[in-house]
Amino acid sequence: MRAVVLLSGGLDSYTAAAIAKQQRFALFALTIRYGQRHAREIESARAVAHALGVERHLEMDLDLRAIGGSSLTTAEPVPHGRDIDAPQIPSTYVPARNTIFLSLALGWGEVLGAHDIVIGVNALDYSGYPDCRPEFIAAFERVATLGTRAGVEGERFRIHTPLVSLGKADIIRRGLELGLDYGLTHSCYDPQPDGRPCGTCDSCVLRAKGFRQAGVHDPLMR
């Protein structure tokens, strides 16, 4: 079986892809270079794809800086030291990003004859993004079936979200059980010039919390 995996180079997408590999999917990795300021993650995506032994790693350019609306794609400062439990959706939300990325994965999957798409969304330890929720994923599955030739001809597309109900610590534990090297990954929204994580953005805080609760050392922290 073939599966298209959205691979960002982060901890979650690496773990989700590894779970799909364990389930005997042949992985076709899709990484989007969308104008994000944390472009260091593209290098990590390459390293992770190599470690996973994917069938093909496709890197696509889709510059969302033209749309703007996010501190990840504009000059707006990335928030640091924010209360990650606050109800407001933070400025690091990229408008409709997962809708766009899943659409690209769907298009490639239709060409490949792959009716399974894997995405590492998480609805527990995350920053409150609306496109990480199970109800969004369920709605997109329906769109995928209604809006494609393969769907009209009777194929059913499945969006796999193996991490959606796991906390960050549980995700890390699962990855370590699979032998993953999290030193290959990159999570920081606002890395320092030498690529080191800032340690205070939402993503860094959630990652640190996960490793702390899992009782293991983060290999990115020296």
Side-chain angles (χ1 to χ4, degrees):
M1 300 182 293
R2 294 180 167 188
V4 175
V5 180
L6 284 165
L7 198 67
S8 69
L11 183 154
D12 290 346
S13 70
Y14 185 18
T15 309
I19 291 171
K21 182 178 180 179
Q22 185 188 46
Q23 295 170 342
R24 301 189 181 281
F25 281 102
L27 305 183
F28 290 78
L30 176 60
T31 299
I32 312 297
R33 187 184 294 103
Y34 62 93
Q36 65 270 48
R37 69 168 69 201
H38 51 301
R40 165 71 178 77
E41 70 177 9
I42 303 298
E43 299 173 21
S44 290
R46 293 169 184 159
V48 165
H50 178 74
L52 289 167
V54 301
E55 301 293 322
R56 183 181 173 192
H57 184 202
L58 175 62
E59 296 180 22
M60 289 188 65
D61 290 305
L62 181 67
D63 195 346
L64 296 182
R65 289 177 296 184
I67 294 175
S70 169
S71 57
L72 298 188
T73 57
T74 67
E76 180 182 355
V78 168
H80 291 267
R82 192 181 74 90
D83 177 5
I84 57 175
D85 294 320
Q88 296 85 8
I89 296 172
S91 68
T92 50
Y93 165 71
V94 179
R97 179 175 61 183
N98 282 346
T99 305
I100 295 167
F101 287 8
L102 282 169
S103 297
L104 293 172
L106 176 63
W108 194 29
E110 194 170 20
V111 171
L112 293 170
H115 304 123
D116 295 272
I117 298 171
V118 181
I119 182 171
V121 294
N122 175 259
L124 292 182
D125 284 338
Y126 73 127
S127 295
Y129 302 150
D131 52 3
C132 290
R133 297 174 299 166
E135 50 267 45
F136 163 73
I137 297 298
F140 192 89
E141 269 194 346
R142 180 163 171 75
V143 167
T145 298
L146 289 174
T148 57
R149 181 173 64 185
V152 169
E153 292 176 350
E155 297 291 348
R156 177 174 176 266
F157 285 92
R158 291 167 295 273
I159 312 298
H160 298 262
T161 58
L163 313 182
V164 72
S165 61
L166 298 181
K168 191 69 74 177
D170 290 326
I171 293 170
I172 291 167
R173 292 188 190 103
R174 185 76 178 93
L176 294 176
E177 288 172 0
L178 293 170
L180 304 189
D181 176 7
Y182 286 127
L184 300 176
T185 64
H186 176 84
S187 302
C188 182
Y189 288 151
D190 194 20
Q192 298 180 43
D194 62 2
R196 287 183 297 135
C198 71
T200 55
C201 70
D202 282 11
S203 188
C204 280
V205 170
L206 288 168
R207 180 177 174 124
K209 174 186 173 185
F211 274 98
R212 184 171 61 252
Q213 291 180 343
V216 293
H217 176 72
D218 183 350
L220 291 186
M221 305 307 292
R222 302 187 185 280

